[in-house]
Amino acid sequence: MDNCVDYEHDHSFWVHTMTTEWDLVCERVALKTLAKLILFTGFALGSFASGLISDRFGRKTAIWYSSITMVVFGVITSFIPWYPVFVFTWWVTGTMAIACYTAAFVWTMELATGKWKIILGMSMNYSWPFCRLIIAGLAYVLRDWHWHLRIISAMVAVGAVLLFWVPESPRWLIAKSRTDEAKKILFSAAKRNGKDIKEEDIVLKVQGVPKNMGIQ
């Protein structure tokens, strides 16, 4: 806009937005696109790093640490009063978000077998549109972006707590030659599914690790 020197924000509906917080209008409007661009570089980094970390330390560990980091930086971001610092903390939050999802997807695929790989794999992708509906509801009820991030972070915190009751990926444990731990998890799963099997009857063999990572 030419000669955009005198303006004011309408707060009758939105109490606080990122646009009104840092005056991202007129010649500063490109800063919104810049923030999103930087955020997507975090998505790229998180997707790549998540695989390395989860392969090294475990799927569950990668999910938990990325979740906790996402919660911490999500809350920090909601209080940041400076745009450059906000972009950085938002970038960390986004990086951890995609890292968590990537590790969780692999973990789910390694826990499932047969038709459940398809069912669970596709179901996980519905989390994206479902969460966008939640955010739309938050935006209508709470018209302040600071509270949006805090509530979303609180929901992530709930997921991090629930991880204490879920097992590590048996396939990852077997690949790391931790077959005794994997056997306990598989035996527990068999009992929950009504399978009449003894733990000592479960035989796990690792073939060609780490070169082939074959699991029998």
Side-chain angles (χ1 to χ4, degrees):
M1 297 175 62
D2 296 331
N3 302 318
C4 182
V5 294
D6 186 18
Y7 58 86
E8 62 181 23
H9 299 291
D10 181 7
H11 295 283
S12 60
F13 185 84
W14 299 110
V15 178
H16 291 292
T17 69
M18 297 174 187
T19 298
T20 61
E21 187 89 9
W22 293 292
D23 287 330
L24 303 182
V25 296
C26 305
E27 72 279 358
R28 292 171 58 86
V29 72
L31 292 178
K32 292 191 291 185
T33 303
L34 177 63
K36 293 177 182 178
L37 177 63
I38 294 175
L39 175 67
F40 275 92
T41 66
F43 282 3
L45 176 62
S47 299
F48 175 75
S50 177
L52 299 178
I53 294 173
S54 63
D55 283 347
R56 177 72 181 275
F57 301 103
R59 316 309 191 198
K60 183 177 175 179
T61 300
I63 298 170
W64 193 81
Y65 276 102
S66 58
S67 296
I68 294 301
T69 306
M70 186 171 24
V71 170
V72 172
F73 274 84
V75 174
I76 291 174
T77 303
S78 71
F79 288 98
I80 293 298
W82 310 285
Y83 174 80
V85 181
F86 159 80
V87 171
F88 171 73
T89 55
W90 196 31
W91 176 82
V92 174
T93 305
T95 302
M96 292 299 103
I98 197 65
C100 179
Y101 177 82
T102 303
F105 187 85
V106 174
W107 173 71
T108 302
M109 291 297 96
E110 289 180 342
L111 284 175
T113 185
K115 67 177 183 180
W116 288 104
K117 280 186 177 290
I118 300 174
I119 295 173
L120 294 177
M122 292 302 298
S123 297
M124 283 190 67
N125 290 310
Y126 284 107
S127 63
W128 295 100
F130 178 73
C131 289
R132 275 159 176 72
L133 289 174
I134 293 177
I135 293 173
L138 287 175
Y140 183 80
V141 177
L142 300 172
R143 297 162 188 178
D144 187 332
W145 73 271
H146 303 86
W147 282 103
H148 295 173
L149 281 179
R150 292 165 195 167
I151 292 177
I152 293 170
S153 298
M155 290 190 287
V156 175
V158 172
V161 172
L162 292 176
L163 280 173
F164 285 101
W165 286 275
V166 297
E168 178 57 270
S169 165
R171 293 179 184 271
W172 180 81
L173 290 171
I174 296 170
K176 292 295 181 179
S177 298
R178 294 163 58 177
T179 53
D180 289 340
E181 296 174 61
K183 186 182 294 186
K184 291 182 182 298
I185 294 173
L186 293 173
F187 176 67
S188 176
K191 286 181 61 178
R192 289 177 178 272
N193 285 282
K195 304 294 184 181
D196 185 17
I197 186 174
K198 297 180 181 179
E199 185 173 345
E200 54 268 23
D201 293 335
I202 300 176
V203 179
L204 303 175
K205 295 181 180 179
V206 186
Q207 298 177 339
V209 175
K211 184 178 181 180
N212 299 323
M213 298 293 279
I215 299 172
Q216 180 177 340

